Amino acid sequence: LIAIPELKQKNLNSLFELFKNKVNVIKYLPQVNGLVTFDTKVEDFDGILMISNSRGVNQVGSYVLKRLMDICAGLCGILILIPLTVFVFVKNRKEGDKGPIFFTQNRIGKNGKEFKMYKYRTMVLGADKILEELMEKDPAIREEYTVNKKLANDPRITSAGKFLREKSLDEFPQFFNVLKGDMSIVGTRPPLISETNLYEYQHFARLTIKPGITGMWQVSGRSEITDFDEVVKLDKYYIENWNLGLDIKILFKTVLVVVCKKGAV
């Protein structure tokens, strides 16, 4: 096994001659400058080594099945959403919180299309104003939020919101987005408009598919991955290697992540 892809052809031929008739099989790692994905195939093109890569573009049938899977999962998710919404409503009312149960946020989807993403409201009304007051009174809170963009023990979170976050249920309303076709069950996370304004050229690859409720980043321990370039790398890997099998694998890993409380989804 010759695993030196940068080896020059002349030296590679010399190695072949050296091992000729001494071993049964010689395997070597070629230098591949193009993209290699699950769809990559090595072919014989009239005696020339040819590497073909469909990159999933022609998987029309698989895309149809993915949409059907989204619809089925979306319907199941909404069935769970009904009793969960009743629980949140009753919990909030008992605590005197008469605000809306859901809130919407403008996000960017496939091909840069803007859509409204649904979530449960997990914070009290006027949370932004309360945060400003907390940071003004306590320098430690100001420093924590400035560095982490969140508070470990955020007093603005409601009791129902705390439960939803702990159980990774606060994003369940996004099943509405899945049924509407704005999102998929598996995909990249939909960015905020303010985030896309800061995108560099390589980051826009994330917008070539529908965003998802879960994805590569979530099942790879997103609480441990803070570097945005690493997140983009995971998203691009998913896009370039997509197939239904990968979606199913991510869904199973998502269940394990939620059950085992490792990372967050």
Side-chain angles (χ1 to χ4, degrees):
L1 174 61
I2 306 171
I4 315 175
E6 65 274 14
L7 202 63
K8 293 182 179 180
Q9 187 64 44
K10 180 181 178 181
N11 295 330
L12 186 61
N13 289 336
S14 297
L15 282 176
F16 283 162
E17 290 298 321
L18 179 65
F19 292 111
K20 190 175 181 180
N21 299 322
K22 294 181 181 179
V23 295
N24 292 327
V25 178
I26 299 175
K27 295 182 180 181
Y28 70 97
L29 190 65
Q31 187 172 12
V32 181
N33 295 320
L35 185 65
V36 178
T37 71
F38 290 155
D39 296 313
T40 299
K41 297 178 181 178
V42 178
E43 300 176 350
D44 179 4
F45 187 73
D46 195 21
I48 300 174
L49 179 68
M50 181 70 73
I51 297 177
S52 66
N53 192 339
S54 70
R55 299 184 65 177
V57 173
N58 299 318
Q59 299 184 45
V60 178
S62 294
Y63 283 120
V64 172
L65 289 175
K66 180 178 176 69
R67 180 57 185 153
L68 289 175
M69 187 170 69
D70 282 344
I71 292 173
C72 292
L75 290 172
C76 292
I78 287 177
L79 288 177
I80 300 173
L81 196 64
I82 295 171
L84 192 59
T85 301
V86 173
F87 163 77
V88 175
F89 176 82
V90 173
K91 187 77 171 174
N92 285 352
R93 293 302 185 269
K94 281 185 178 181
E95 296 180 357
D97 186 341
K98 297 183 179 181
I101 297 174
F102 305 103
F103 88 97
T104 60
Q105 195 174 46
N106 290 339
R107 296 286 181 122
I108 301 297
K110 183 179 179 180
N111 298 327
K113 182 181 178 182
E114 189 175 331
F115 71 97
K116 291 187 179 297
M117 188 180 77
Y118 302 103
K119 290 186 71 174
Y120 278 118
R121 179 177 61 84
T122 57
M123 289 190 175
V124 297
L125 296 175
D128 292 338
K129 186 177 180 180
I130 294 173
L131 177 62
E132 291 177 5
E133 294 174 353
L134 289 170
M135 290 194 297
E136 188 175 335
K137 293 177 181 178
D138 193 334
I141 290 179
R142 175 181 291 278
E143 182 180 357
E144 181 184 354
Y145 189 81
T146 301
V147 174
N148 301 324
K149 304 302 180 186
K150 62 181 180 179
L151 301 176
N153 297 303
D154 199 326
R156 301 173 298 161
I157 299 176
T158 63
S159 297
K162 184 178 180 181
F163 169 80
L164 292 171
R165 291 189 177 195
E166 287 178 349
K167 303 298 181 181
S168 297
L169 299 173
D170 56 312
E171 296 187 353
F172 248 64
Q174 288 166 31
F175 281 107
F176 281 120
N177 293 116
V178 172
L179 279 179
K180 287 173 61 181
D182 296 325
M183 297 177 64
S184 177
I185 295 297
V186 183
T188 60
R189 286 303 295 155
L192 294 165
I193 299 172
S194 57
E195 293 174 346
T196 57
N197 290 336
L198 301 174
Y199 270 15
E200 296 177 7
Y201 176 77
Q202 67 272 19
H203 300 153
F204 284 97
R206 307 179 76 214
L207 306 181
T208 58
I209 64 169
K210 285 184 182 180
I213 295 177
T214 186
M216 291 289 294
W217 174 44
Q218 289 89 334
V219 299
S220 300
R222 80 177 191 188
S223 59
E224 301 169 6
I225 301 175
T226 57
D227 186 274
F228 183 62
D229 286 332
E230 287 298 317
V231 174
V232 173
K233 188 182 294 184
L234 287 171
D235 285 340
K236 290 179 73 173
Y237 177 89
Y238 171 77
I239 294 167
E240 293 162 355
N241 295 281
W242 177 80
N243 56 51
L244 282 178
L246 182 59
D247 272 7
I248 293 170
K249 182 178 179 180
I250 289 174
L251 286 173
F252 274 114
K253 290 188 72 174
T254 299
V255 174
L256 291 175
V257 167
V258 172
V259 172
C260 299
K261 306 299 181 184
K262 185 177 181 181
V265 175

